DNA sequence: ACCCTGATTTAAAAAAAGTTAAGCCATGTT
DNA sequence: AACATGGCTTAACTTTTTTTAAATCAGGGT
């Protein structure tokens, strides 16, 4: 039962601390992506799916607060933990206002960090579902706004129906990984039967049509398993 | 999700910890009143209505236990959580005797505090309605005064009928989330049948017309489920 | 190569949502 | 009492979204 599979987005400009943290977290079983500034972190956030953010407050190019605000716009739930230099109480206040789940003042012990991550994650996601609360995604040249149900490429907007949007979101949550047929059917169509499976096929075909304008994006079938959305 | 609307009375004499806690709790959606000593806390308790008390044990003028005893005299049910300096068993015992619901020893993580509040509140008040008693809303560039039944954008006022206002309020209570068709029908139209559903569609159309002056605001349909009001 | 099953595509039918306008009914006015 | 008004419902019709159907294609094994 103990299979957390929390993917961590870590933004830390000090390469020393950054690599140490990444190594530590991965040793503890959390796949971690390290970004060396806020801009890079935000781009990474849109492209892949994470379950936890650790953001240094002071970073070049884009500070941690700005990143957090941008992330909060499209994901109200993902846990955010700030790393802030000691003595900066105002920082803490600012961060909490944005909706941080916790903060740590440097220097801190790795163990403390681990404790916080586990505590937060225990509260925020009792069930391991594979689905995020993200609502905005990048798929190659496309951008996909799930809550507005809009798929855009170079100012060309395609309005999506709710079923189309649900399915595409589920594919995005597992980008470059297979989405199980029966999982999608149970979650979106509420029943895994022959007719719903045919219906799903129709929607896959529609999504392929919408996504054909960027050749690097592919929605491929994994025979007998499900579908995989491929993008840079 | 849940919408607890818990008003918290927080008594903490350390201004640093006090403001941070207040900011954190408010960011998590709990309106919090901070008092810097026990006497002030008790006065505040008598003046306003709270649903939760967090009391530091050691405070000048009047300590947390005394406040708790006074509060318990007039309210046997309000949840009380103590903050105690260190692991003083006697303190804890004393507090529990008074009728505390929980305690936390400093230093503690915000996360831990939030967990306790949620746990206690779940225990003490099980019902969740989804509807607030809020009466004023911001919808993108619009402002909506439910009690006056007025929808305004840039000094342009639109008077709403009561059905229009009821429906819009219900959508605002679940902004960026789906309002279930049948829920709205049962609550506003008192019966979920074909004709009322058609009637509701007419009102949705009217609301869309009223809301068209801010393109970032969208009232979209979620097929087979209901409607979702999108706005930042 | 052959077969079976799963996947794909297109078209049609069915269900849900949207639009417009007419009608109804309670209220207040002359 | 007759009339006007505004709010709401009903009705008929259109459009969109989803499901079903049917014909064809592809993958993996014997």
């Amino acid at each position: 039962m103990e299979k957390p599979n929390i993917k961590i987005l870590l933004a830390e400009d000090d390469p020393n601390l950054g690599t140490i943290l990444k190594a530590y977290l991965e040793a503890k079983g959390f796949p971690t992506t390290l970004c060396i500034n806020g801009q890079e972190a935000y781009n990474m956030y849109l492209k892949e799916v994470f379950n936890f953010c650790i953001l240094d407050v002071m970073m070049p190019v884009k500070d941690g607060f700005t990143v957090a605000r941008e992330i909060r716009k499209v994901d109200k739930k993902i846990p955010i933990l700030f790393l802030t230099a000691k003595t900066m109480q105002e920082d803490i206040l600012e961060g909490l206002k944005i909706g941080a789940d916790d903060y740590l003042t440097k220097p801190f012990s790795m163990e403390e960090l681990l404790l916080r991550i586990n505590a937060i994650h225990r509260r925020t996601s009792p069930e391991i579902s594979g689905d995020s609360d993200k609502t905005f995604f990048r798929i190659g040249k496309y951008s996909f706004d799930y809550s507005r149900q809009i798929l855009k490429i170079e100012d060309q907007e395609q309005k999506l129906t709710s079923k189309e949007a649900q399915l595409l979101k589920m594919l995005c949550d597992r980008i470059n990984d297979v989405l199980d047929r029966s999982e999608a059917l149970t979650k979106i169509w509420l029943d895994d039967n022959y007719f719903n499976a045919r219906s799903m096929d129709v929607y896959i075909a529609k999504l392929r049509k919408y996504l054909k304008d960027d050749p690097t994006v592919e929605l491929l079938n994994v025979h007998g398993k499900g579908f995989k959305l491929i993008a840079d």
Side-chain angles (χ1 to χ4, degrees), chain A residues 9 22 41 44 53 62 72 80 113 130 160 173 228 230:
Chain A
L9 175 62
K22 178 175 153 71
M44 190 57 75
C53 298
K62 190 180 274 185
R72 270 281 171 272
I80 298 177
L113 176 61
L160 301 183
D173 281 339
K228 187 152 68 160
I230 308 276

Side-chain angles (χ1 to χ4, degrees), chain A residues 83-138:
Chain A
L83 305 180
T84 156
K86 191 140 196 161
T87 74
M88 303 217 73
Q89 290 292 22
E90 316 110 58
D91 273 19
I92 295 166
L93 281 180
E94 174 76 11
L96 294 176
K97 243 177 260 169
I98 294 169
D101 293 81
D102 215 336
Y103 67 93
L104 272 180
T105 53
K106 295 189 207 175
F108 53 87
S109 81
M110 304 262 179
E111 207 170 322
E112 187 64 19
L113 176 61
L114 198 63
L115 278 173
R116 302 288 173 99
I117 294 173
N118 282 324
I120 293 173
H121 202 263
R122 206 174 314 122
R123 175 178 64 86
T124 51
S125 81
E127 82 310 324
I128 305 150
S129 79
D131 295 305
S132 72
D133 291 302
K134 255 176 90 168
T135 65
F136 195 86
F137 301 86
R138 289 245 164 90

Side-chain angles (χ1 to χ4, degrees), chain A residues 193-206:
Chain A
N193 62 38
Y194 174 81
F195 293 110
N196 286 340
R198 272 340 92 232
S199 198
M200 178 170 168
D201 287 339
V202 172
Y203 277 87
I204 290 288
K206 287 171 151 200

Side-chain angles (χ1 to χ4, degrees), chain A residues 46-48 137-142 168 171-172 174-177 211 214-220 228-232:
Chain A
L46 288 182
K47 213 164 72 187
E48 295 183 19
F137 301 86
R138 289 245 164 90
I139 313 163
K141 287 206 192 95
Y142 290 89
L168 184 53
L171 287 160
C172 287
R174 290 158 187 72
I175 194 143
N176 296 318
D177 203 350
L211 291 170
D214 180 347
T216 71
V217 175
E218 273 182 296
L219 178 39
L220 27 107
K228 187 152 68 160
L229 180 60
I230 308 276
D232 63 309

